[in-house]
Amino acid sequence: MEWYLHSKWMGSTFALLLYVFMNVARVTFFSGITRLLWKYIYPERFTLLATCDSDGSLVTTSSKISGTSHDDLIRAIQTRSKADSLNTQELSQELHAK
């Protein structure tokens, strides 16, 4: 009986350790692969949601917009950012359209 319980305990312990080590190896492997090959797998376009305007001041504290939703933050950034260049206006229109 003692040998049976010992073998069950050891089998369960080894199975748990194997599960943990396999997941750690998977996470480490894919983390390393994405750090090495990120130039080949990125979608050639990044999306960024900021809580400040182009001058660096927070839009949630200095504006009347609460900033609780994505649309509120986009609207606050668009109204507070400098729209002096054509690229900024085009980007703002494109972001708002999506």
Side-chain angles (χ1 to χ4, degrees):
M1 182 70 170
E2 181 183 349
W3 290 94
Y4 177 75
L5 293 175
H6 183 71
S7 66
K8 288 295 181 182
W9 179 81
M10 289 293 286
S12 298
T13 303
F14 285 140
L16 180 67
L17 282 175
L18 180 66
Y19 175 77
V20 169
F21 286 140
M22 291 279 289
N23 280 312
V24 168
R26 177 183 54 88
V27 168
T28 306
F29 175 75
F30 283 109
S31 177
I33 290 295
T34 54
R35 287 179 189 203
L36 290 175
L37 303 174
W38 69 271
K39 290 182 182 179
Y40 302 105
I41 59 176
Y42 80 101
E44 297 183 13
R45 184 177 196 147
F46 292 105
T47 303
L48 174 70
L49 176 62
T51 56
C52 63
D53 60 5
S54 59
D55 293 328
S57 60
L58 292 175
V59 294
T60 56
T61 58
S62 59
S63 65
K64 302 289 188 226
I65 300 172
S66 65
T68 56
S69 71
H70 180 74
D71 293 331
D72 286 346
L73 287 174
I74 293 293
R75 190 171 25 260
I77 292 169
Q78 287 175 344
T79 56
R80 299 229 21 224
S81 295
K82 295 177 184 173
D84 54 354
S85 69
L86 185 59
N87 290 337
T88 305
Q89 290 175 353
E90 288 175 0
L91 182 61
S92 295
Q93 290 171 355
E94 185 177 334
L95 285 174
H96 190 63
K98 290 184 178 186

